[in-house]
Amino acid sequence: GPALAQDCDANQLAQDINDASPVAVPRVFLKLVECDEAVAVTSAPLAMSKTLHGEEGNRALLACLKIGAQTSAQDWIDSLEPDHRSQSILWIGEQCDDVSAIGDFFVDSAKGDMAEVFLKERWYRGMSHCKLPAVQDLLRAMVETPDKATTKEQLFGYMEVYARNLGAAAVPYLKKFTSEQTDVKEQQLALNAFSDAANVGSMSGMDMKAAEASIAAIHDLGPNLAPSATSQARDTLLALGDEAGADSFAKYRWPERMQDGNYLYGVYAKEIATCKKEKMQGVFHYGIFTEPGAEWPDALEMDIEGKATAAWGLELAEKCGGEGTVTIRITPEPLETPEALEEWVKAHITTFNGETTDFHKAEISLEETTAY
């Protein structure tokens, strides 16, 4: 460094930028930055206009921000192809802890002449990991007191970055915002932001403090969520590691179908057996299983075979000394009324009757209501 400062020729390096190819420009510019920052600021517009996107281009961009050539940095980013722009913005955002000028770049871009471009081209995505106070204040303003022209779609884009940046500190507002949404889709999007706050899916690992705060907030929101939004709450709780809590949200999914604190699920079991002397027999069992909303239908379906076998026996083949098959099904959702059971099994019974026309013995068995 000191040796370079003594031996460098800033004017010659500035001339070299003018003569260099786009591939060589970033290296020459970085040498000039080390040599003389004042001259580098003057040369930055030309240097960046000739610089190509890539690793060296990003390093030249970072050097611009360090020396205060912010306009040159903004112009270069604005000139890039959308995918390259996104890559460079995310990259400088990750350097924010080491270079405070990056925070100034984001804040000044959002409030200055580049404000429209900053929002339209989503430069704000680079602020996800830039936890400087000024950046966090900007994100709070964008989300908590948005401009009147901000659409809901834009707001949810800001919210993702806001949540990732502030972590646990974002949870109280996310909870308030979610509780105020009346549109189901918007509730679902708001619930997803809790995962962002906890850093779910990041290679750096989950933010456990934010995860715990998010879990508590979602449980508080549960009773007042739109029923069709509870599936998103379930998914978010699973992502946050709260499997038991996610299961418990089943009780909020169909509240109008709860009867005496339980859901009613229709279940049928069809036994077909080839008995002694090749005689065919069949039994169609059906009935209601009650469940307190502690599990979702897809989870119930996974172990209904064991539950139905334990409750109804299903030993036709064993009793008649032969071999057979058992088919067991559960309704995909709780029944609206007990009477809906008959309607659900009607087609299945018709199929069973058609299959067993020539059987030695076939019967329909309505079983007693059983607790799941």
Side-chain angles (χ1 to χ4, degrees):
L4 177 62
Q6 292 172 7
D7 298 339
C8 73
D9 185 338
N11 291 330
Q12 182 58 52
L13 288 169
Q15 181 59 44
D16 290 344
I17 287 173
N18 189 64
D19 299 334
S21 69
V23 174
V25 165
R27 289 185 290 246
V28 179
F29 179 65
L30 289 172
K31 288 181 181 178
L32 179 56
V33 170
E34 289 187 48
C35 176
D36 190 320
E37 290 189 4
V39 177
V41 169
T42 303
S43 299
L46 175 61
M48 295 309 294
S49 70
K50 296 179 67 176
T51 295
L52 301 176
H53 177 264
E55 183 178 346
E56 290 189 333
N58 284 342
R59 283 170 29 207
L61 170 65
L62 187 60
C64 277
L65 296 177
K66 287 180 178 179
I67 64 176
Q70 192 176 95
T71 300
S72 296
Q74 291 171 333
D75 290 344
W76 185 73
I77 288 178
D78 191 35
S79 71
L80 297 176
E81 293 294 323
D83 56 334
H84 290 165
R85 182 187 305 122
S86 177
Q87 292 168 16
S88 292
I89 287 173
L90 293 175
W91 184 83
I92 61 169
E94 291 171 355
Q95 320 306 314
C96 201
D97 288 345
D98 300 321
V99 183
S100 60
I102 294 173
D104 297 332
F105 164 77
F106 283 123
V107 173
D108 293 344
S109 296
K111 296 180 178 180
D113 295 337
M114 300 297 290
E116 184 177 349
V117 173
F118 177 87
L119 296 176
K120 183 179 179 181
E121 302 298 334
R122 301 196 298 170
W123 291 18
Y124 55 84
R125 286 171 57 83
M127 299 191 293
S128 292
H129 305 292
C130 192
K131 299 181 182 294
L132 297 174
V135 171
Q136 293 186 328
D137 287 344
L138 172 60
L139 286 170
R140 286 191 178 94
M142 291 171 67
V143 172
E144 297 178 15
T145 55
D147 185 274
K148 291 182 179 179
T150 300
T151 66
K152 275 293 179 70
E153 182 181 3
Q154 291 169 329
L155 181 59
F156 284 113
Y158 306 159
M159 191 170 292
E160 176 186 348
V161 178
Y162 164 89
R164 286 196 177 278
N165 188 302
L166 273 72
V171 171
Y173 183 77
L174 294 179
K175 179 181 176 181
K176 175 178 178 293
F177 179 85
T178 305
S179 69
E180 293 171 349
Q181 303 313 299
T182 55
D183 181 84
V184 173
K185 184 176 180 180
E186 290 171 1
Q187 277 193 0
Q188 292 170 332
L189 290 170
L191 286 164
N192 196 50
F194 289 100
S195 296
D196 296 322
N199 218 25
V200 171
S202 171
M203 294 184 67
S204 61
M206 190 182 298
D207 180 339
M208 297 310 299
K209 182 178 179 182
E212 291 173 4
S214 295
I215 289 169
I218 294 171
H219 278 282
D220 288 344
L221 289 166
N224 298 312
L225 290 174
S228 53
T230 56
S231 294
Q232 179 60 57
R234 177 197 188 190
D235 291 343
T236 302
L237 288 171
L238 286 172
L240 295 169
D242 183 18
E243 185 174 349
D247 291 342
S248 73
F249 265 59
K251 63 179 174 287
Y252 302 130
R253 179 60 186 88
W254 300 277
E256 75 287 354
R257 300 187 192 183
M258 276 280 181
Q259 301 191 34
D260 298 325
N262 284 293
Y263 286 137
L264 309 180
Y265 283 93
V267 177
Y268 79 77
K270 181 172 65 175
E271 295 186 280
I272 302 292
T274 304
C275 304
K276 293 178 180 179
K277 299 181 181 180
E278 299 300 312
K279 290 183 178 180
M280 300 294 295
Q281 292 189 35
V283 181
F284 188 95
H285 309 260
Y286 72 103
I288 288 176
F289 277 68
T290 63
E291 194 278 323
E295 292 189 65
W296 291 77
D298 56 356
L300 300 177
E301 187 176 20
M302 292 177 65
D303 62 358
I304 186 58
E305 183 174 343
K307 296 288 187 180
T309 300
W312 297 341
L314 307 183
E315 299 172 341
L316 175 61
E318 182 179 342
K319 289 180 178 179
C320 75
E323 296 180 348
T325 60
V326 180
T327 303
I328 302 174
R329 296 289 184 270
I330 187 171
T331 51
E333 295 180 0
L335 299 169
E336 294 185 13
T337 64
E339 291 72 27
L341 173 67
E342 299 285 347
E343 186 62 30
W344 178 68
V345 299
K346 186 177 180 180
H348 301 292
I349 291 175
T350 299
T351 300
F352 173 78
N353 287 334
E355 293 172 338
T356 58
T357 301
D358 299 325
F359 278 24
H360 173 69
K361 182 180 180 181
E363 60 182 278
I364 308 295
S365 177
L366 173 60
E367 308 292 349
E368 293 184 1
T369 298
T370 306
Y372 201 92

